Amino acid sequence: MTIRPKLMYFRNLKHQFIFPKRIPLEASKFLVVSEFPKCGGSWLSCILANLLNFHGNSSGKYIHPFNMYSRVVDIDLAKTSRGKSIMLHGLSPDSYLIKTHAPFSINFQRIVCLYRNPINVFQSYYRMCLSQNIIKDMSPLAFVKHRKFGVSAYNRFYVSYLNSSENSKIQFVDYDDLKRNTAAIVSQISNIFLPNKITQTDVTKFIQLACLKNYIELEKSYLRLDPRREMLHKSLKSVNSFNFMGDSRLPVDWSQSIDQYIIRQTSKVYDSLRHSCSQIVN
């Protein structure tokens, strides 16, 4: 099956996650990048896709945010023409990886699970959903209490990975650590999970190309320059107000009490993630 990156990208803007009812058995052969939304999964997938592409494609074509689905299978979004979940037949795990917001599946056996301080997650996630007109008039407190978007969804997602099968190998990665120590963490991931020996020079090269600053700038440029940007107006309040990752402003009605509620509800899971981050969970 041919994956169409542009179609998948616009569907991602609408945030229409379609979790497969059944994860294909073939997924066990692939590296899986999993995250709760707004934890850096797309950025890390872009870096790892470049490393896979460098070794699997003699052309050495650079993978950026808007062609990375030529190497990344987003199983939450990818659908066949018949509406069935994408299958992985014919794709080599040496050249492709899986990205998902779905909970743990027994068919995920090689996993990098990204997490982030839950306060930062929900502040960013709320801004994104507002800018995409997903939640419209929902208050911040209602958002963090919402079963689909809020703290209960965060806890369910990460508990599923913390309680994963013994047959699966998981590396938990803190998004803030990834920003501070990108080269060291990507090197560790590549040494553990990627099929070919990747040198530190390779890692440094592709981190420079796909560094977080460049990634954000590419996304902003795409929105400004793409001739099809008018398509976005139907689902977004404003192209200029749309935020992927870089806007740190909080809504005026976001209060300290909301942060305190998030801490109370997620502290146990977040502490478990930070403890697991220092080890590879088999």
Side-chain angles (χ1 to χ4, degrees), residues 12-255:
N12 192 27
L13 286 180
K14 296 179 182 179
H15 212 62
Q16 295 178 347
F17 300 141
I18 308 171
F19 298 151
K21 293 183 178 179
R22 179 181 175 276
I23 302 295
L25 180 62
E26 299 93 327
S28 63
K29 301 176 184 178
F30 291 79
L31 174 61
V32 176
V33 176
S34 66
E35 60 153 351
F36 191 79
K38 310 308 294 178
C39 291
S42 295
W43 173 43
L44 179 59
S45 294
C46 189
I47 294 174
L48 297 178
N50 270 296
L51 294 177
L52 286 173
N53 189 59
F54 178 75
H55 285 274
N57 183 350
S58 59
S59 68
K61 182 179 179 181
Y62 169 52
I63 301 296
H64 53 74
F66 306 106
N67 71 358
M68 74 175 184
Y69 292 108
S70 63
R71 290 287 174 182
V72 178
V73 181
D74 191 328
I75 60 173
D76 305 342
L77 302 169
K79 308 290 283 186
T80 68
S81 59
R82 297 180 181 179
K84 297 181 180 179
S85 297
I86 188 171
M87 299 301 288
L88 301 171
H89 293 302
L91 302 184
S92 168
D94 290 352
S95 302
Y96 292 83
L97 60 90
I98 290 173
K99 175 181 176 292
T100 187
H101 296 297
F104 175 76
S105 163
I106 59 172
N107 289 333
F108 294 160
Q109 295 190 9
R110 301 165 59 230
I111 307 162
V112 177
C113 184
L114 281 152
Y115 70 94
R116 184 182 183 187
N117 184 308
I119 292 176
N120 296 332
V121 167
F122 288 110
Q123 290 174 353
S124 181
Y125 196 16
Y126 183 69
R127 289 194 305 269
M128 187 196 76
C129 289
L130 278 179
S131 68
Q132 294 189 26
N133 206 23
I134 295 169
I135 56 176
K136 297 185 178 180
D137 298 325
M138 188 182 295
S139 70
L141 184 59
F143 181 82
V144 299
K145 289 185 174 182
H146 196 284
R147 178 172 173 79
K148 178 179 178 181
F149 303 109
V151 292
S152 62
Y154 179 96
N155 288 336
R156 288 194 308 273
F157 176 85
Y158 286 112
V159 166
S160 74
Y161 284 93
L162 288 166
N163 295 333
S164 60
S165 166
E166 294 181 355
N167 294 327
S168 298
K169 178 179 288 187
I170 303 181
Q171 181 175 3
F172 290 97
V173 174
D174 185 326
Y175 171 68
D176 292 313
D177 283 346
L178 182 63
K179 289 195 297 182
R180 288 189 296 264
N181 305 302
T182 309
I185 291 175
V186 171
S187 293
Q188 184 182 35
I189 292 170
S190 65
N191 289 336
I192 296 170
F193 293 108
L194 298 189
N196 300 301
K197 180 64 176 178
I198 295 175
T199 67
Q200 187 62 43
T201 301
D202 296 337
V203 171
T204 301
K205 172 184 176 181
F206 289 113
I207 287 174
Q208 289 173 345
L209 287 171
C211 70
L212 187 56
K213 180 180 178 180
N214 289 348
Y215 189 93
I216 293 171
E217 288 303 316
L218 277 169
E219 289 180 323
K220 290 180 178 178
S221 297
Y222 189 88
L223 286 177
R224 287 195 303 266
L225 302 175
D226 192 280
R228 296 172 299 170
R229 64 187 181 277
E230 293 300 322
M231 295 173 61
L232 301 174
H233 285 290
K234 296 180 180 179
S235 59
L236 307 183
K237 291 179 179 177
S238 165
V239 171
N240 292 328
S241 69
F242 181 76
N243 299 311
F244 281 94
M245 302 170 69
D247 192 344
S248 60
R249 294 171 296 178
L250 284 178
V252 293
D253 53 348
W254 192 284
S255 65

Side-chain angles (χ1 to χ4, degrees), residues 249-266:
R249 294 171 296 178
L250 284 178
V252 293
D253 53 348
W254 192 284
S255 65
Q256 187 176 2
S257 63
I258 295 173
D259 290 344
Q260 292 170 346
Y261 174 81
I262 293 170
I263 292 171
R264 288 196 304 272
Q265 298 298 318
T266 61

